[in-house]
Amino acid sequence: MTRTTTPVLVTGGAGFIGSHLCEALIARGDYVLCVDNLMTGSLDNLSDFMRHPRFEFRRHDITEPLELKVSAIYNLACPASPVDYQRDPVHTLRTCVQGALNMLELARSCDVPILQASTSEVYGDPLQHPQVENYWGNVNPIGSRSCYDEGKRCAETLFYDYFRMHGVDTRVIRIFNTYGPRMQASDGRVVSNFIVSALKGMPLTIYGDGQQTRSFCYVDDLVRLIIACMDNKTRHETPINAGNPEEYTMLELAELVCELVGGASALTHLALPEDDPKRRKPDIEQARTVLDWKPEVSVREGLTRTRDYFRAALIPERARKESSLETREAAHA
Ligand code: NAD
Ligand code: UDP
């Protein structure tokens, strides 16, 4: 297929999910402009394709307007882990709201589609399970998670208002917990915390009694959904849940991580953070029917790949050289 040389814009493209999205878009022939302020992302995430002729990186904060010519916009810029988004809650809100406004204005001026990376956090601590897109949620407007939850809710409102007022081609996906390579070891999320602790032989930290649940989606599956959503030409009346319905308690997840890493890691219980949702699982019927999408990577398989990533990332440079020397020597023995 012939593609335009006008780039697609990926905001937050140096982050965990954004970097995988950039890579997948380049792989299918798109020109990609990645815009990121590097607040929680890193140029290391881009190293595999930084020099690709169809890739460009620009350091920019989306709370400031952008004037560019682009062919589509994927708006992913926003810190996503609770530790990260609570560090500067006012900036998180600005990113969600002012950032969304700036990107919507850009979409309007270029007359191009725009996709918003929303979140399952818009359901708050849900009273309905699993969560279907027409559920309005149960969100604390003034708590420590609110900068993110309410910011993302407001961004969704802006996306639908820009469609109604200005006819902008907006798409909204609600991403549930996603994991995989390029997560940061210190982002405080449960998957990275558990795997890194297990690899280091340290106790796994269970917040609260560990009976709260999450449903985990491997990043490659999510990226397929994001691209399918942008490519889909039908008008989406509501946001679309994006996640893998495989649901685990945090204790079950800890057990699985211990099994995959090997060795017996102890568990240690810490206080449950404020407003921590008790149960979370997406109903993905819309993604199945509208986008013909379903997750393909099981949690066991995805965690194994993520374990291998962290194992390689955590080995000090010297040990890596030694182990590759050993492998070469063994190959020649
Ligand atoms: P991440 O923190 O790894 O990536 C976010 C990226 O956005 C980073 O590179 C960061 O530097 C950049 N950024 C933050 N504020 C910015 C700003 N004002 N201007 C420009 N760049 C900015 O997080 P992620 O897990 O890759 O999440 C990506 C998107 O997906 C976010 O919008 C997040 O809300 C959404 N999401 C993620 C998950 C998940 O489980 N990972 C779940 C729900 C929603
Ligand atoms: N959690 C945990 N131990 C950790 C980190 C997180 O038990 O070391 C719990 C956390 O309380 C929450 C779940 O794991 O119930 C998922 O947390 P995460 O920060 O990954 O995502 P979110 O809360 O945004 O879903």
Side-chain angles (χ1 to χ4, degrees), residues 187-215:
D187 66 11
R189 295 190 247 208
V190 69
V191 171
S192 35
N193 270 9
F194 281 3
I195 294 182
V196 169
S197 297
L199 286 170
K200 290 182 171 171
M202 288 161 57
L204 273 56
T205 47
I206 305 283
Y207 300 165
D209 62 9
Q211 292 300 337
Q212 70 273 34
T213 70
R214 295 292 186 274
S215 303

PDB file of all heavy atoms in Angstrom, residues 187-215:
ATOM      1  N   ASP A 187       8.995   2.126  37.859  1.00  0.00           N
ATOM      2  CA  ASP A 187       7.756   2.902  37.689  1.00  0.00           C
ATOM      3  C   ASP A 187       6.705   2.589  38.761  1.00  0.00           C
ATOM      4  O   ASP A 187       5.649   3.224  38.798  1.00  0.00           O
ATOM      5  CB  ASP A 187       7.172   2.736  36.270  1.00  0.00           C
ATOM      6  CG  ASP A 187       6.694   1.317  35.980  1.00  0.00           C
ATOM      7  OD1 ASP A 187       6.609   0.506  36.914  1.00  0.00           O
ATOM      8  OD2 ASP A 187       6.397   1.032  34.811  1.00  0.00           O
ATOM      9  N   GLY A 188       6.977   1.607  39.615  1.00  0.00           N
ATOM     10  CA  GLY A 188       6.075   1.326  40.733  1.00  0.00           C
ATOM     11  C   GLY A 188       4.874   0.485  40.354  1.00  0.00           C
ATOM     12  O   GLY A 188       4.049   0.161  41.210  1.00  0.00           O
ATOM     13  N   ARG A 189       4.743   0.129  39.056  1.00  0.00           N
ATOM     14  CA  ARG A 189       3.584  -0.690  38.673  1.00  0.00           C
ATOM     15  C   ARG A 189       3.787  -2.120  39.149  1.00  0.00           C
ATOM     16  O   ARG A 189       4.916  -2.576  39.350  1.00  0.00           O
ATOM     17  CB  ARG A 189       3.401  -0.661  37.152  1.00  0.00           C
ATOM     18  CG  ARG A 189       3.039   0.736  36.664  1.00  0.00           C
ATOM     19  CD  ARG A 189       2.613   0.731  35.214  1.00  0.00           C
ATOM     20  NE  ARG A 189       3.550   1.418  34.367  1.00  0.00           N
ATOM     21  CZ  ARG A 189       3.226   2.014  33.226  1.00  0.00           C
ATOM     22  NH1 ARG A 189       1.983   2.040  32.818  1.00  0.00           N
ATOM     23  NH2 ARG A 189       4.139   2.598  32.491  1.00  0.00           N
ATOM     24  N   VAL A 190       2.688  -2.822  39.276  1.00  0.00           N
ATOM     25  CA  VAL A 190       2.772  -4.122  39.939  1.00  0.00           C
ATOM     26  C   VAL A 190       3.611  -5.125  39.147  1.00  0.00           C
ATOM     27  O   VAL A 190       4.399  -5.878  39.727  1.00  0.00           O
ATOM     28  CB  VAL A 190       1.360  -4.664  40.275  1.00  0.00           C
ATOM     29  CG1 VAL A 190       0.579  -5.055  39.024  1.00  0.00           C
ATOM     30  CG2 VAL A 190       1.441  -5.818  41.236  1.00  0.00           C
ATOM     31  N   VAL A 191       3.473  -5.143  37.815  1.00  0.00           N
ATOM     32  CA  VAL A 191       4.206  -6.142  37.038  1.00  0.00           C
ATOM     33  C   VAL A 191       5.710  -5.888  37.130  1.00  0.00           C
ATOM     34  O   VAL A 191       6.508  -6.805  37.399  1.00  0.00           O
ATOM     35  CB  VAL A 191       3.731  -6.154  35.567  1.00  0.00           C
ATOM     36  CG1 VAL A 191       4.632  -7.029  34.715  1.00  0.00           C
ATOM     37  CG2 VAL A 191       2.286  -6.652  35.480  1.00  0.00           C
ATOM     38  N   SER A 192       6.122  -4.629  36.932  1.00  0.00           N
ATOM     39  CA  SER A 192       7.558  -4.333  37.012  1.00  0.00           C
ATOM     40  C   SER A 192       8.074  -4.554  38.433  1.00  0.00           C
ATOM     41  O   SER A 192       9.136  -5.153  38.634  1.00  0.00           O
ATOM     42  CB  SER A 192       7.843  -2.911  36.521  1.00  0.00           C
ATOM     43  OG  SER A 192       6.801  -2.050  36.871  1.00  0.00           O
ATOM     44  N   ASN A 193       7.326  -4.093  39.432  1.00  0.00           N
ATOM     45  CA  ASN A 193       7.762  -4.300  40.822  1.00  0.00           C
ATOM     46  C   ASN A 193       7.966  -5.782  41.130  1.00  0.00           C
ATOM     47  O   ASN A 193       8.989  -6.175  41.682  1.00  0.00           O
ATOM     48  CB  ASN A 193       6.705  -3.749  41.802  1.00  0.00           C
ATOM     49  CG  ASN A 193       6.949  -2.289  42.146  1.00  0.00           C
ATOM     50  OD1 ASN A 193       7.797  -1.642  41.543  1.00  0.00           O
ATOM     51  ND2 ASN A 193       6.199  -1.772  43.104  1.00  0.00           N
ATOM     52  N   PHE A 194       6.975  -6.605  40.771  1.00  0.00           N
ATOM     53  CA  PHE A 194       7.052  -8.032  41.116  1.00  0.00           C
ATOM     54  C   PHE A 194       8.226  -8.707  40.387  1.00  0.00           C
ATOM     55  O   PHE A 194       9.005  -9.444  40.991  1.00  0.00           O
ATOM     56  CB  PHE A 194       5.745  -8.759  40.754  1.00  0.00           C
ATOM     57  CG  PHE A 194       4.619  -8.565  41.744  1.00  0.00           C
ATOM     58  CD1 PHE A 194       4.764  -7.734  42.851  1.00  0.00           C
ATOM     59  CD2 PHE A 194       3.396  -9.222  41.577  1.00  0.00           C
ATOM     60  CE1 PHE A 194       3.712  -7.552  43.765  1.00  0.00           C
ATOM     61  CE2 PHE A 194       2.352  -9.057  42.487  1.00  0.00           C
ATOM     62  CZ  PHE A 194       2.507  -8.211  43.575  1.00  0.00           C
ATOM     63  N   ILE A 195       8.333  -8.463  39.078  1.00  0.00           N
ATOM     64  CA  ILE A 195       9.382  -9.170  38.320  1.00  0.00           C
ATOM     65  C   ILE A 195      10.768  -8.726  38.789  1.00  0.00           C
ATOM     66  O   ILE A 195      11.656  -9.549  39.026  1.00  0.00           O
ATOM     67  CB  ILE A 195       9.215  -8.955  36.794  1.00  0.00           C
ATOM     68  CG1 ILE A 195       7.915  -9.609  36.317  1.00  0.00           C
ATOM     69  CG2 ILE A 195      10.408  -9.525  36.034  1.00  0.00           C
ATOM     70  CD1 ILE A 195       7.652  -9.506  34.829  1.00  0.00           C
ATOM     71  N   VAL A 196      10.941  -7.419  38.954  1.00  0.00           N
ATOM     72  CA  VAL A 196      12.263  -6.911  39.357  1.00  0.00           C
ATOM     73  C   VAL A 196      12.625  -7.439  40.744  1.00  0.00           C
ATOM     74  O   VAL A 196      13.744  -7.904  40.982  1.00  0.00           O
ATOM     75  CB  VAL A 196      12.296  -5.364  39.285  1.00  0.00           C
ATOM     76  CG1 VAL A 196      13.559  -4.815  39.940  1.00  0.00           C
ATOM     77  CG2 VAL A 196      12.207  -4.910  37.832  1.00  0.00           C
ATOM     78  N   SER A 197      11.663  -7.426  41.675  1.00  0.00           N
ATOM     79  CA  SER A 197      11.945  -7.936  43.026  1.00  0.00           C
ATOM     80  C   SER A 197      12.297  -9.417  42.968  1.00  0.00           C
ATOM     81  O   SER A 197      13.265  -9.859  43.594  1.00  0.00           O
ATOM     82  CB  SER A 197      10.734  -7.745  43.947  1.00  0.00           C
ATOM     83  OG  SER A 197      10.459  -6.390  44.100  1.00  0.00           O
ATOM     84  N   ALA A 198      11.515 -10.180  42.208  1.00  0.00           N
ATOM     85  CA  ALA A 198      11.771 -11.629  42.140  1.00  0.00           C
ATOM     86  C   ALA A 198      13.154 -11.898  41.539  1.00  0.00           C
ATOM     87  O   ALA A 198      13.892 -12.759  42.016  1.00  0.00           O
ATOM     88  CB  ALA A 198      10.683 -12.318  41.319  1.00  0.00           C
ATOM     89  N   LEU A 199      13.517 -11.135  40.490  1.00  0.00           N
ATOM     90  CA  LEU A 199      14.826 -11.343  39.870  1.00  0.00           C
ATOM     91  C   LEU A 199      15.962 -10.999  40.829  1.00  0.00           C
ATOM     92  O   LEU A 199      17.041 -11.588  40.776  1.00  0.00           O
ATOM     93  CB  LEU A 199      14.950 -10.489  38.592  1.00  0.00           C
ATOM     94  CG  LEU A 199      14.159 -10.977  37.373  1.00  0.00           C
ATOM     95  CD1 LEU A 199      14.161  -9.934  36.267  1.00  0.00           C
ATOM     96  CD2 LEU A 199      14.735 -12.300  36.846  1.00  0.00           C
ATOM     97  N   LYS A 200      15.709 -10.019  41.696  1.00  0.00           N
ATOM     98  CA  LYS A 200      16.756  -9.618  42.653  1.00  0.00           C
ATOM     99  C   LYS A 200      16.718 -10.437  43.940  1.00  0.00           C
ATOM    100  O   LYS A 200      17.479 -10.187  44.858  1.00  0.00           O
ATOM    101  CB  LYS A 200      16.582  -8.136  43.010  1.00  0.00           C
ATOM    102  CG  LYS A 200      16.924  -7.191  41.869  1.00  0.00           C
ATOM    103  CD  LYS A 200      16.774  -5.746  42.321  1.00  0.00           C
ATOM    104  CE  LYS A 200      17.317  -4.791  41.266  1.00  0.00           C
ATOM    105  NZ  LYS A 200      16.980  -3.386  41.591  1.00  0.00           N
ATOM    106  N   GLY A 201      15.754 -11.396  43.995  1.00  0.00           N
ATOM    107  CA  GLY A 201      15.638 -12.219  45.200  1.00  0.00           C
ATOM    108  C   GLY A 201      15.100 -11.451  46.391  1.00  0.00           C
ATOM    109  O   GLY A 201      15.324 -11.831  47.546  1.00  0.00           O
ATOM    110  N   MET A 202      14.403 -10.355  46.107  1.00  0.00           N
ATOM    111  CA  MET A 202      13.834  -9.547  47.193  1.00  0.00           C
ATOM    112  C   MET A 202      12.355  -9.898  47.389  1.00  0.00           C
ATOM    113  O   MET A 202      11.712 -10.421  46.474  1.00  0.00           O
ATOM    114  CB  MET A 202      13.959  -8.054  46.850  1.00  0.00           C
ATOM    115  CG  MET A 202      15.394  -7.557  46.934  1.00  0.00           C
ATOM    116  SD  MET A 202      15.628  -6.033  46.033  1.00  0.00           S
ATOM    117  CE  MET A 202      14.431  -4.969  46.778  1.00  0.00           C
ATOM    118  N   PRO A 203      11.795  -9.580  48.571  1.00  0.00           N
ATOM    119  CA  PRO A 203      10.375  -9.889  48.781  1.00  0.00           C
ATOM    120  C   PRO A 203       9.478  -9.107  47.822  1.00  0.00           C
ATOM    121  O   PRO A 203       9.780  -7.960  47.492  1.00  0.00           O
ATOM    122  CB  PRO A 203      10.114  -9.446  50.228  1.00  0.00           C
ATOM    123  CG  PRO A 203      11.429  -9.109  50.815  1.00  0.00           C
ATOM    124  CD  PRO A 203      12.426  -8.961  49.727  1.00  0.00           C
ATOM    125  N   LEU A 204       8.391  -9.748  47.380  1.00  0.00           N
ATOM    126  CA  LEU A 204       7.411  -9.059  46.527  1.00  0.00           C
ATOM    127  C   LEU A 204       6.468  -8.267  47.432  1.00  0.00           C
ATOM    128  O   LEU A 204       5.979  -8.805  48.435  1.00  0.00           O
ATOM    129  CB  LEU A 204       6.612 -10.083  45.704  1.00  0.00           C
ATOM    130  CG  LEU A 204       7.226 -10.503  44.371  1.00  0.00           C
ATOM    131  CD1 LEU A 204       8.620 -11.062  44.530  1.00  0.00           C
ATOM    132  CD2 LEU A 204       6.338 -11.516  43.675  1.00  0.00           C
ATOM    133  N   THR A 205       6.224  -7.005  47.059  1.00  0.00           N
ATOM    134  CA  THR A 205       5.406  -6.133  47.913  1.00  0.00           C
ATOM    135  C   THR A 205       3.932  -6.248  47.529  1.00  0.00           C
ATOM    136  O   THR A 205       3.541  -5.881  46.417  1.00  0.00           O
ATOM    137  CB  THR A 205       5.859  -4.667  47.747  1.00  0.00           C
ATOM    138  OG1 THR A 205       5.978  -4.382  46.345  1.00  0.00           O
ATOM    139  CG2 THR A 205       7.204  -4.433  48.418  1.00  0.00           C
ATOM    140  N   ILE A 206       3.138  -6.783  48.456  1.00  0.00           N
ATOM    141  CA  ILE A 206       1.686  -6.891  48.223  1.00  0.00           C
ATOM    142  C   ILE A 206       1.026  -5.735  48.961  1.00  0.00           C
ATOM    143  O   ILE A 206       1.193  -5.601  50.176  1.00  0.00           O
ATOM    144  CB  ILE A 206       1.131  -8.213  48.807  1.00  0.00           C
ATOM    145  CG1 ILE A 206       1.892  -9.431  48.261  1.00  0.00           C
ATOM    146  CG2 ILE A 206      -0.374  -8.321  48.586  1.00  0.00           C
ATOM    147  CD1 ILE A 206       1.530  -9.825  46.862  1.00  0.00           C
ATOM    148  N   TYR A 207       0.294  -4.906  48.238  1.00  0.00           N
ATOM    149  CA  TYR A 207      -0.401  -3.793  48.892  1.00  0.00           C
ATOM    150  C   TYR A 207      -1.767  -4.283  49.367  1.00  0.00           C
ATOM    151  O   TYR A 207      -2.522  -4.882  48.589  1.00  0.00           O
ATOM    152  CB  TYR A 207      -0.576  -2.613  47.933  1.00  0.00           C
ATOM    153  CG  TYR A 207       0.730  -2.033  47.400  1.00  0.00           C
ATOM    154  CD1 TYR A 207       0.745  -1.168  46.304  1.00  0.00           C
ATOM    155  CD2 TYR A 207       1.957  -2.332  47.994  1.00  0.00           C
ATOM    156  CE1 TYR A 207       1.917  -0.638  45.819  1.00  0.00           C
ATOM    157  CE2 TYR A 207       3.145  -1.807  47.511  1.00  0.00           C
ATOM    158  CZ  TYR A 207       3.125  -0.965  46.410  1.00  0.00           C
ATOM    159  OH  TYR A 207       4.295  -0.439  45.920  1.00  0.00           O
ATOM    160  N   GLY A 208      -2.059  -4.038  50.638  1.00  0.00           N
ATOM    161  CA  GLY A 208      -3.313  -4.516  51.211  1.00  0.00           C
ATOM    162  C   GLY A 208      -3.269  -6.033  51.347  1.00  0.00           C
ATOM    163  O   GLY A 208      -2.195  -6.635  51.483  1.00  0.00           O
ATOM    164  N   ASP A 209      -4.453  -6.665  51.235  1.00  0.00           N
ATOM    165  CA  ASP A 209      -4.481  -8.127  51.420  1.00  0.00           C
ATOM    166  C   ASP A 209      -4.186  -8.887  50.126  1.00  0.00           C
ATOM    167  O   ASP A 209      -4.149 -10.121  50.114  1.00  0.00           O
ATOM    168  CB  ASP A 209      -5.841  -8.570  52.003  1.00  0.00           C
ATOM    169  CG  ASP A 209      -7.011  -8.237  51.061  1.00  0.00           C
ATOM    170  OD1 ASP A 209      -6.761  -7.832  49.906  1.00  0.00           O
ATOM    171  OD2 ASP A 209      -8.182  -8.384  51.482  1.00  0.00           O
ATOM    172  N   GLY A 210      -3.994  -8.142  49.020  1.00  0.00           N
ATOM    173  CA  GLY A 210      -3.642  -8.797  47.752  1.00  0.00           C
ATOM    174  C   GLY A 210      -4.824  -9.443  47.046  1.00  0.00           C
ATOM    175  O   GLY A 210      -4.656 -10.135  46.049  1.00  0.00           O
ATOM    176  N   GLN A 211      -6.043  -9.207  47.564  1.00  0.00           N
ATOM    177  CA  GLN A 211      -7.232  -9.813  46.936  1.00  0.00           C
ATOM    178  C   GLN A 211      -7.801  -8.922  45.827  1.00  0.00           C
ATOM    179  O   GLN A 211      -8.703  -9.334  45.107  1.00  0.00           O
ATOM    180  CB  GLN A 211      -8.330 -10.077  47.987  1.00  0.00           C
ATOM    181  CG  GLN A 211      -7.978 -11.151  49.000  1.00  0.00           C
ATOM    182  CD  GLN A 211      -7.714 -12.518  48.358  1.00  0.00           C
ATOM    183  OE1 GLN A 211      -8.174 -12.802  47.258  1.00  0.00           O
ATOM    184  NE2 GLN A 211      -6.942 -13.345  49.041  1.00  0.00           N
ATOM    185  N   GLN A 212      -7.281  -7.686  45.704  1.00  0.00           N
ATOM    186  CA  GLN A 212      -7.759  -6.828  44.608  1.00  0.00           C
ATOM    187  C   GLN A 212      -7.330  -7.439  43.274  1.00  0.00           C
ATOM    188  O   GLN A 212      -6.298  -8.108  43.212  1.00  0.00           O
ATOM    189  CB  GLN A 212      -7.231  -5.385  44.755  1.00  0.00           C
ATOM    190  CG  GLN A 212      -5.759  -5.158  44.521  1.00  0.00           C
ATOM    191  CD  GLN A 212      -4.906  -5.366  45.773  1.00  0.00           C
ATOM    192  OE1 GLN A 212      -5.196  -6.197  46.602  1.00  0.00           O
ATOM    193  NE2 GLN A 212      -3.831  -4.604  45.878  1.00  0.00           N
ATOM    194  N   THR A 213      -8.128  -7.194  42.228  1.00  0.00           N
ATOM    195  CA  THR A 213      -7.817  -7.822  40.927  1.00  0.00           C
ATOM    196  C   THR A 213      -7.495  -6.777  39.862  1.00  0.00           C
ATOM    197  O   THR A 213      -7.938  -5.634  39.925  1.00  0.00           O
ATOM    198  CB  THR A 213      -8.998  -8.679  40.408  1.00  0.00           C
ATOM    199  OG1 THR A 213     -10.074  -7.804  40.032  1.00  0.00           O
ATOM    200  CG2 THR A 213      -9.459  -9.690  41.428  1.00  0.00           C
ATOM    201  N   ARG A 214      -6.719  -7.231  38.891  1.00  0.00           N
ATOM    202  CA  ARG A 214      -6.477  -6.481  37.663  1.00  0.00           C
ATOM    203  C   ARG A 214      -6.467  -7.485  36.512  1.00  0.00           C
ATOM    204  O   ARG A 214      -6.260  -8.673  36.725  1.00  0.00           O
ATOM    205  CB  ARG A 214      -5.116  -5.761  37.697  1.00  0.00           C
ATOM    206  CG  ARG A 214      -4.967  -4.659  38.742  1.00  0.00           C
ATOM    207  CD  ARG A 214      -5.847  -3.455  38.454  1.00  0.00           C
ATOM    208  NE  ARG A 214      -5.596  -2.355  39.383  1.00  0.00           N
ATOM    209  CZ  ARG A 214      -6.186  -2.228  40.578  1.00  0.00           C
ATOM    210  NH1 ARG A 214      -7.058  -3.145  40.992  1.00  0.00           N
ATOM    211  NH2 ARG A 214      -5.918  -1.192  41.343  1.00  0.00           N
ATOM    212  N   SER A 215      -6.627  -6.965  35.290  1.00  0.00           N
ATOM    213  CA  SER A 215      -6.608  -7.808  34.092  1.00  0.00           C
ATOM    214  C   SER A 215      -5.492  -7.283  33.217  1.00  0.00           C
ATOM    215  O   SER A 215      -5.458  -6.082  32.928  1.00  0.00           O
ATOM    216  CB  SER A 215      -7.950  -7.716  33.382  1.00  0.00           C
ATOM    217  OG  SER A 215      -8.971  -8.094  34.285  1.00  0.00           O
TER     218      SER A 215
END
